[in-house]
Amino acid sequence: MADFELLKELQMSRETQIVQLVLDGLGGLPRPSDGKTELEAARTPNLDALAARAQLGLAVPVAPGITPGSGPAHLSLFGYDPLQYDIGRGVLEALGIGFDLQPQDVAARGNFCSVDEEGRITDRRAGRIPTEESRKLVALLRAIKLPGVETFVEAVKEYRFVLVLRPTDGQTLQANILDTDPQRLGVPPLPARAQDKESEPTAALINDWLAAAREILKDHHPANSLTLRGIAKDPGLPHFDAVYGLRAAAIATYPMYRGVAKLVGMEVLPLAGETLEDEVEALRAHWQQYDYFFFHVKKTDSAGEDGDFERKAAVIEHVDQAVVPAILALEPDVLIVTGDHSTPAALKSHSWHPVPTLLWSRYCRPDGVAEFGERACGRGSLGVLAATDELPLALGHALRLNKYGA
Amino acid sequence: MADFELLKELQMSRETQIVQLVLDGLGGLPRPSDGKTELEAARTPNLDALAARAQLGLAVPVAPGITPGSGPAHLSLFGYDPLQYDIGRGVLEALGIGFDLQPQDVAARGNFCSVDEEGRITDRRAGRIPTEESRKLVALLRAIKLPGVETFVEAVKEYRFVLVLRPTDGQTLQANILDTDPQRLGVPPLPARAQDKESEPTAALINDWLAAAREILKDHHPANSLTLRGIAKDPGLPHFDAVYGLRAAAIATYPMYRGVAKLVGMEVLPLAGETLEDEVEALRAHWQQYDYFFFHVKKTDSAGEDGDFERKAAVIEHVDQAVVPAILALEPDVLIVTGDHSTPAALKSHSWHPVPTLLWSRYCRPDGVAEFGERACGRGSLGVLAATDELPLALGHALRLNKYGA
């Protein structure tokens, strides 16, 4: 990962601007017809022209062979080793629905489940009840009151919801607590079990809440019980301004990415809408106010997840037309084009494949290859790099780091 | 190295099969006549065709510039950082002669040496006495009995032998004990010195054995004394099934490689003979029973050690004809072709050069270079990789790892 102590020591203030353009799930796999990946098949004259003046490489999000979720993958892009900085699932789930999580909050991901008359789990996902049904149950659960904390219950999707406890009496809640989901059928949900003394009051509160919730749900088969997972707090990550000396802004349409950006201290910019053009407009409007922009494009990943090669290529073409020239027109000092992970249409899921990555600055050594694609990147001079190296490289290319040693 | 905790957490069971084909000492150096290495000079149509569909790279066994022995080099290929997991020399030597080492055994490598009348070493290798001579002396040393342990003494080669102590009274022997070889002439051998309290009983046993052995040897100049090195036990490495979730099998003709494979929990398959064809037959016979096969080819290394460029190239050609198509016919999900280290004929020894490596799977991104050789690998999309990354990559390509984080 990025050496935060070193970077803190060397960082200096400069009037230079960095853009990290992240096409979610950018990396792909060859299609049978012509052996081209989504990125290789897309017509991308602007990215190709930029590639000719840039350096290329393949970024490894977490570790070789490891397929990352979106949370860890973005932490990596921001320079944080996701194996060291663990964002609990409850926190990610809360961020994912745009919940305004506070540092003192404890968040958990909830699952509605089905239990038999002895309370033993018969379906860990309550028959995947529709989200609409889930919303009604969540509304009922909001009636539960606990001493000294405010509780929030929010529907997510189907059988999933989020529970947040927020202290109102000044106490500090700790959340080193095991999941209540036993991960198998035929046994009852487990109680919340604190793993240290400091977390015991939180576990007691959660167990009280669970008892009340089960009482409310008992006649609502198939969602007649529930389990909690990933009970966690904001991990208190070091912030971009402290580590990198960067005033950082995030441009992203999905709550999850906005949330992770907030965790590392970025300002999340307001958007007029959810199109790429809206995102570009936000970049233009705030260009002078920040040193670094995280510009997130979601739909490459969605298309990959749907197994839609053509649509993923089309999103890339749209970025090439609507985003790349607009960024270049603003004359950034450093532009990185990358992805958080690969989502090959062929796999319909995230994958472990390293991610095509392009770094341009006035001070880069161009590879001279006028093509941005997996194979071109596989021969690029950035080599196979850790995604966590992108920010330090950007700082170097932005002349924002002092010399180390005499 | 491979992150064992992470892999334990993410591993899942799948009906997919991985083959790691290891040509010992595969990497080479260019010959003056045409600048080709052994691998580049060999006619390898099958490997070249496979390369066109695969990804290439250069694997670093231990660390840049470091020439590994066979033990550490194989640990790396299996994903174990050899700097962290140290197999004592006594254990390696015992494995190398096919000794059936048990977890409770203490093994040491022995050297016969010459001493003068005051017991000071005059030749640390006893004039490199022939192995036949050594065998006779070893037979004499077997007469030494110690309380509470069974002792084994086995000749290795020339002045080298192995001593093994096996507790018979249920005690646990520890082996944190320094070498008795002072590594210079003109001084007597050192006593065995325990480095912790737990190892003191073992050191006492060894010193009793050494005294008895010197008494037996005193009239057998030049082998009229001895020293012990690398006093050690089976290091208790984590096993393949626990770390990777793989039922693993080893196909290897030499005791040393079979032994190291056993240390990481592989089943060593029986062979009808020592040819490549025998090894292929073992692979075929056990194909359905395992998830992973370590397939070892020894003779590339032997030829390199002999400085025989042509013979090394010929062994590679034999593998290309007799092994590669046979493996592909079994339709593995992942095939890695690599070496444990380089043994350039030009150096007649192991070397530090990174090792040509090829990874094929249905889900790889082919580099599209129809050539398996050092230079092609130097431009490959696997880049310069740590040999310890091969197993995690193989698991990813075999779809045997769950996603990390949400």
Side-chain angles (χ1 to χ4, degrees), chain B residues 14-222:
Chain B
R14 275 264 191 186
E15 289 300 311
T16 50
Q17 283 160 303
I18 298 164
V19 178
Q20 194 174 24
L21 170 59
V22 178
L23 283 75
D24 205 295
L26 176 62
L29 279 172
R31 60 181 170 194
S33 62
D34 60 1
K36 287 187 174 176
T37 67
E38 297 89 323
L39 177 58
E40 289 168 348
R43 226 184 71 79
T44 53
N46 294 304
L47 282 167
D48 292 346
L50 181 62
R53 303 188 287 129
Q55 297 185 244
L56 304 180
L58 289 171
V60 177
V62 175
I66 305 300
T67 297
S70 297
H74 273 81
L75 280 188
S76 276
L77 285 180
F78 301 153
Y80 299 69
D81 179 355
L83 298 173
Q84 175 178 347
Y85 293 102
D86 187 18
I87 308 181
R89 183 174 286 256
V91 171
L92 274 180
E93 203 83 353
L95 297 176
I97 56 166
F99 185 86
D100 186 23
L101 200 72
Q102 302 297 309
Q104 71 273 25
D105 292 353
V106 170
R109 165 172 164 175
N111 285 1
F112 291 112
C113 65
S114 312
V115 295
D116 65 17
E117 279 160 25
E118 268 73 48
R120 294 174 303 210
I121 298 175
T122 55
D123 184 334
R124 290 177 53 240
R125 297 183 183 82
R128 292 190 183 270
I129 54 165
T131 309
E132 263 323 290
E133 197 57 40
S134 192
R135 281 190 206 286
K136 288 179 203 156
L137 297 172
V138 155
L140 297 176
L141 296 177
R142 288 190 182 135
I144 304 170
K145 301 295 172 205
L146 294 172
V149 296
E150 189 177 1
T151 58
F152 301 85
V153 195
E154 304 291 341
V156 177
K157 198 179 170 190
E158 297 176 344
Y159 58 95
R160 286 156 48 198
F161 66 91
V162 169
L163 169 69
V164 176
L165 307 187
R166 177 171 300 167
T168 53
D169 58 359
Q171 68 179 314
T172 300
L173 294 181
Q174 296 301 340
N176 188 3
I177 297 170
L178 297 182
D179 294 351
T180 77
D181 183 346
Q183 299 271 3
R184 59 200 177 95
L185 301 181
V187 294
L190 297 161
R193 288 150 298 154
Q195 292 304 288
D196 55 34
K197 194 134 193 74
E198 295 70 33
S199 303
E200 283 173 8
T202 316
L205 284 168
I206 288 175
N207 284 323
D208 289 348
W209 186 87
L210 284 169
R214 291 198 179 106
E215 188 58 32
I216 290 172
L217 295 174
K218 68 179 182 205
D219 297 327
H220 290 274
H221 188 86

Side-chain angles (χ1 to χ4, degrees), chain B residues 179-361:
Chain B
D179 294 351
T180 77
D181 183 346
Q183 299 271 3
R184 59 200 177 95
L185 301 181
V187 294
L190 297 161
R193 288 150 298 154
Q195 292 304 288
D196 55 34
K197 194 134 193 74
E198 295 70 33
S199 303
E200 283 173 8
T202 316
L205 284 168
I206 288 175
N207 284 323
D208 289 348
W209 186 87
L210 284 169
R214 291 198 179 106
E215 188 58 32
I216 290 172
L217 295 174
K218 68 179 182 205
D219 297 327
H220 290 274
H221 188 86
N224 61 348
S225 188
L226 38 66
T227 60
L228 296 178
R229 300 170 64 180
I231 302 163
K233 293 175 72 174
D234 176 338
L237 302 174
H239 280 194
F240 258 49
D241 54 351
V243 174
Y244 301 133
L246 293 173
R247 294 169 303 168
I251 300 172
T253 57
Y254 268 47
M256 159 84 175
Y257 310 99
R258 300 162 69 94
V260 175
K262 259 201 285 188
L263 289 184
V264 296
M266 296 187 199
E267 298 269 355
V268 177
L269 299 186
L271 297 174
E274 298 212 336
T275 66
L276 289 180
E277 290 74 10
D278 293 322
E279 293 191 69
V280 166
E281 199 40 52
L283 180 70
R284 280 206 199 97
H286 296 85
W287 184 246
Q288 296 302 334
Q289 292 157 253
Y290 297 94
D291 309 305
Y292 164 94
F293 294 89
F294 158 52
F295 191 115
H296 184 258
V297 174
K298 176 62 186 169
K299 290 185 175 170
T300 27
D301 180 60
S302 322
E305 293 265 11
D306 291 345
D308 193 335
F309 188 104
E310 300 299 332
R311 197 172 99 229
K312 186 173 165 191
V315 177
I316 295 168
E317 292 183 354
H318 189 185
V319 171
D320 186 75
Q321 290 300 314
V323 179
V324 175
I327 293 175
L328 290 174
L330 291 166
E331 300 189 348
D333 295 276
V334 182
L335 172 57
I336 291 174
V337 185
T338 187
D340 56 339
H341 53 73
S342 295
T343 306
L347 287 170
K348 296 188 181 185
S349 69
H350 293 198
S351 79
W352 63 93
H353 301 89
V355 185
T357 298
L358 172 162
L359 184 154
W360 173 86
S361 92

Side-chain angles (χ1 to χ4, degrees), chain A residues 46 276-277 280 284 295 316-327:
Chain A
N46 294 304
L276 290 179
E277 289 75 11
V280 167
R284 280 206 199 95
F295 191 116
I316 295 168
E317 293 182 354
H318 190 185
V319 171
D320 187 75
Q321 290 299 315
V323 179
V324 174
I327 293 174

